[in-house]
Amino acid sequence: MIVYDLSPLWLSLKVAVISTFFVFVVSLALARFMTRRDFFGKSFLEALILLPLVLPPTVIGFGLIVLFGVNGPFGILLEQWFGFRVVFTWIGAAIASFVVSLPLMYQSVLAAFEKVDPRWENVARTMGVSEWRIFRTITFPLAWSGILAGLILAFARGIGEFGATLMIAGYIPGVTETIPLAIYFAYEAGDMEKALFWVLIVSSLGVAAITWVNYWRKKTAIRIGRE
Amino acid sequence: MKKLLGLISLTLFMSGCSDHSANPEEVLVSAASSLTEVMKEMEQQFQEVEPNIELTFNYGSSSKLRSQIEQGAPADLFLSASEQDMELLKSQQLINTDSIEPFAENQLVLASLEEFSATANFKEIVLNTEKKIAIGEPDSVPLGAYSKKALENDNLWNSLSNRLIYAKDARQVVTYVESGNAELGIIYSSDAVISREINGTLEVPGQTKPIIYPGAVIADSENQPAATAFWEFVTSSEGQAILKEYGFMPVAGETP
């Protein structure tokens, strides 16, 4: 078997790890906020967060290039403040992955937080424990299995992002060539073997991640049952 | 629930009415994406001559269209931006060999939003800058393959390779330049002619062979007469005049 340049694999992993980290922080903060507050326009805000789930990738890519392009508002700000460009860089790919995987993680975390019995938190509150410590020692551990499932989903989605990535990160071999882009252009060029090689790699990553989550969930469910 | 069912059956009924196979005068044209604009005009003018023939276009890079045809996707006429893709279809007997004919010529230009100075030199512009240059993906997009060849002929390919951005078809290169996300791009002169945003063009040296657009009727097309009618219109003097208006050049030394 021919061994291909593995740079798309490393790049996909880098993009997915970094975007998943930000998805983790943002979705935890958002979900915590949303489960505890009620305000005017909450449903609308929630719809905005979930929108990328139903939008075609081209629309997401279009939106990103309008916002982060060389002449877009965020694009101009980032270039002036930090001196870096988002279009045609791996950062663009990470932003695309972030936007498409945030709703997946957000939904899992929201469901996990809602399942946590508020009585535990209230008991701690009566004892004068700080809110941050309550979150760290009660809410987060109790919601952990849902959070982890969300993390794995977000990571897998981040690796698979294609449409928006192609629009904002472009296709530069070795620089912005993620696995999905490698597959698309190998197929377009008629290189079926190369396309198949990457399809197998990305599929095994996905299957491994989902299998692990299922296995892990069953194991913890049994453990919690025993306790 | 009843309302919903009614709506669904109504939709099904309506889509049944516009069933494509029921209309023998429908021609599906698979055309290179660089032909998008000119084909709109072509369609309008053709409609006046042949109001009974309905044209539908499927745009993409010529190699993608070619592989769609190889895989049995429906198409009646193939208008390609590359002779190589046409040759591949010919060797598989998927097109009517008699109908193959070049219908337009194009050339490569370096495009920018700003005008180039009158003394601008291609080599100096692309080398003395940090600017990104958008081109077509060289292995799968004909525009990219032509661009790579031209840059190689001038020994520029290796020194530019880390500043090149690959696009999935000719139109995407134009979009990258028009949006300002890539400062420079190598595009077809026809695309530069019709673009309102692109003001600077410079001929790309190193093009040794003209870029020829061949077309042909698909062998297993069920609408051969209608497809041939449109194909004859494209190659007629009327069709050629439209192509010229949109920045394409007539095929040199063509012997029909």
Side-chain angles (χ1 to χ4, degrees), chain A:
Chain A
M1 194 174 111
I2 316 159
V3 175
Y4 298 98
D5 171 23
L6 286 179
S7 70
L9 174 63
W10 310 132
L11 181 69
S12 281
L13 289 175
K14 175 164 106 173
V15 163
V17 165
I18 289 172
S19 88
T20 308
F21 170 75
F22 284 101
V23 163
F24 174 74
V25 175
V26 172
S27 62
L28 236 58
L30 270 177
R32 180 75 173 163
F33 179 75
M34 295 295 242
T35 41
R36 308 185 50 184
R37 296 277 160 80
D38 248 325
F39 53 89
F40 176 74
K42 184 177 168 180
S43 305
F44 181 70
L45 182 64
E46 204 147 38
L48 277 186
I49 300 171
L50 296 180
L51 191 61
L53 269 187
V54 291
L55 281 182
T58 343
V59 176
I60 299 170
F62 176 81
L64 288 178
I65 209 132
V66 167
L67 292 175
F68 288 96
V70 173
N71 300 313
F74 295 143
I76 292 171
L77 281 183
L78 287 174
E79 184 145 18
Q80 277 176 352
W81 291 354
F82 305 105
F84 69 77
R85 256 187 203 186
V86 171
V87 251
F88 306 139
T89 63
W90 68 266
I91 302 173
I95 292 177
S97 290
F98 174 84
V99 173
V100 295
S101 44
L102 181 70
L104 286 172
M105 173 92 189
Y106 171 78
Q107 271 191 323
S108 306
V109 177
L110 196 71
F113 280 172
E114 275 166 355
K115 260 195 226 151
V116 174
D117 192 334
R119 278 180 300 178
W120 299 113
E121 296 174 341
N122 288 336
V123 168
R125 245 169 239 134
T126 59
M127 293 191 253
V129 180
S130 76
E131 283 299 314
W132 167 238
R133 193 159 168 215
I134 291 174
F135 177 74
R136 218 168 25 125
T137 55
I138 298 170
T139 323
F140 187 83
L142 285 175
W144 175 236
S145 90
I147 294 171
L148 187 75
L151 267 179
I152 302 293
L153 271 181
F155 182 76
R157 184 71 189 85
I159 285 201
E161 214 302 311
F162 169 71
T165 306
L166 180 60
M167 284 176 85
I168 188 163
Y171 173 64
I172 310 171
V175 182
T176 64
E177 184 187 16
T178 58
I179 297 177
L181 265 62
I183 295 170
Y184 177 83
F185 282 100
Y187 168 73
E188 288 281 286
D191 192 344
M192 288 309 201
E193 267 174 43
K194 189 177 173 189
L196 193 64
F197 171 81
W198 285 116
V199 165
L200 288 177
I201 287 193
V202 81
S203 310
S204 359
L205 278 176
V207 169
I210 295 166
T211 311
W212 186 74
V213 168
N214 285 340
Y215 169 76
W216 186 86
R217 272 189 157 168
K218 261 181 218 149
K219 221 175 75 177
T220 42
I222 292 165
R223 206 185 66 211
I224 289 168
R226 277 202 204 112
E227 280 163 5

Side-chain angles (χ1 to χ4, degrees), chain B residues 8 85 100 116:
Chain B
I8 292 172
D85 289 306
I100 306 175
F116 295 113

Side-chain angles (χ1 to χ4, degrees), chain B residues 40-108:
Chain B
K40 276 181 206 151
E41 177 76 26
M42 199 72 90
E43 184 182 8
Q44 260 180 17
Q45 305 245 358
F46 180 68
Q47 220 79 82
E48 282 166 24
V49 198
E50 291 275 5
N52 293 327
I53 299 178
E54 183 93 13
L55 296 173
T56 311
F57 290 91
N58 171 29
Y59 296 107
S61 74
S62 302
S63 53
K64 181 186 194 161
L65 299 172
R66 188 247 310 148
S67 75
Q68 285 177 349
I69 293 168
E70 284 171 352
Q71 282 154 24
D76 301 307
L77 183 64
F78 179 40
L79 302 178
S80 168
S82 103
E83 291 178 289
Q84 195 198 338
D85 289 306
M86 194 57 93
E87 279 302 313
L88 282 167
L89 289 182
K90 186 184 167 188
S91 66
Q92 298 171 79
Q93 280 126 33
L94 289 167
I95 45 175
N96 285 349
T97 316
D98 307 339
S99 68
I100 306 175
E101 202 177 318
F103 66 95
E105 241 184 76
N106 220 336
Q107 62 174 3
L108 301 177

Side-chain angles (χ1 to χ4, degrees), chain A residues 170-173 185, chain B residues 135-138 157 164-168 172 176:
Chain A
Y171 173 64
I172 310 171
F185 282 100
Chain B
I135 70 167
E137 204 281 323
W157 180 253
L164 297 175
I165 292 149
Y166 294 164
K168 70 175 183 356
Q172 199 177 26
Y176 280 157

